[in-house]
Amino acid sequence: AQSVAQPEDQVNVAEGNPLTVKCTYSVSGNPYLFWYVQYPNRGLQFLLKYITGDNLVKGSYGFEAEFNKSQTSFHLKKPSALVSDSALYFCAVRETGNNDMRFGAGTRLTVKP
Amino acid sequence: EAQVTQNPRYLITVTGKKLTVTCSQNMNHEYMSWYRQDPGLGLRQIYYSMNVEVTDKGDVPEGYKVSRKEKRNFPLILESPSPNQTSLYFCASSSDRGRRHNEQFFGPGTRLTVL
């Protein structure tokens, strides 16, 4: 069965500093991995995904994520955080050949000025 | 504008009173799904549909029903709501066509309170 974990409920960073939001996954086959962001009172918005190929994936708003198969991780990163990046971030996995999707519990990112 | 719409956005009801939350997408997407979002639990999939007349259970289907009679619509039905179904519900859709890696587009959410 596929699953995903986000080990941190909350991440706090100062504006201008790099940020990392962690995600690990468990699948029996090959994964499709996604990051979504949720701003207050809004639905989720797609940020980026890993399908295959290059382990470093670039997405919207300057975010990127690195797929690490040996560590079964897909951490979200940004070199320089903005206050406007403050939001709830969800990692999700869909195993190739599966129809359903699993989301993590979410990580609340707070960027302080 | 490409979008997923849900109605109602907010609903307060009482235990046992049947309700339907509608979901519609205008992107001709094959795949549609319902999730509930609860604090500390993230999003959990309730039901999904690969195409018209094809639906399947997700992680937490108990107490819910769905139907997919048309490609654009995917209503969520609570036949006899209970307080533990108080939650924030999201509908989502994606273009699938046999590939499982397309991103989902989410609706704005429906906040349901069952008293």
Side-chain angles (χ1 to χ4, degrees), chain A residues 36 38 94 99 101-102, chain B residues 31 37 59 100-101 104:
Chain A
Y36 288 86
Q38 185 181 31
R94 195 176 189 185
N99 297 326
M101 179 85 86
R102 291 288 191 280
Chain B
Y31 185 93
Q37 182 180 8
D59 275 340
R100 302 289 187 266
H101 55 71
Q104 294 185 59

Side-chain angles (χ1 to χ4, degrees), chain A residues 60-76:
Chain A
S60 307
Y61 313 120
F63 283 94
E64 57 188 29
E66 186 167 11
F67 171 67
N68 188 317
K69 188 171 184 177
S70 62
Q71 297 186 4
T72 61
S73 67
F74 189 57
H75 301 331
L76 181 70

Side-chain angles (χ1 to χ4, degrees), chain B residues 13-19 63 78-85 112 114-115:
Chain B
T13 189
V14 296
T15 299
K17 186 176 182 182
K18 181 179 179 179
L19 66 93
L78 284 71
E79 296 258 348
S80 182
S82 62
N84 64 11
Q85 293 178 298
L112 172 65
V114 183
L115 302 174

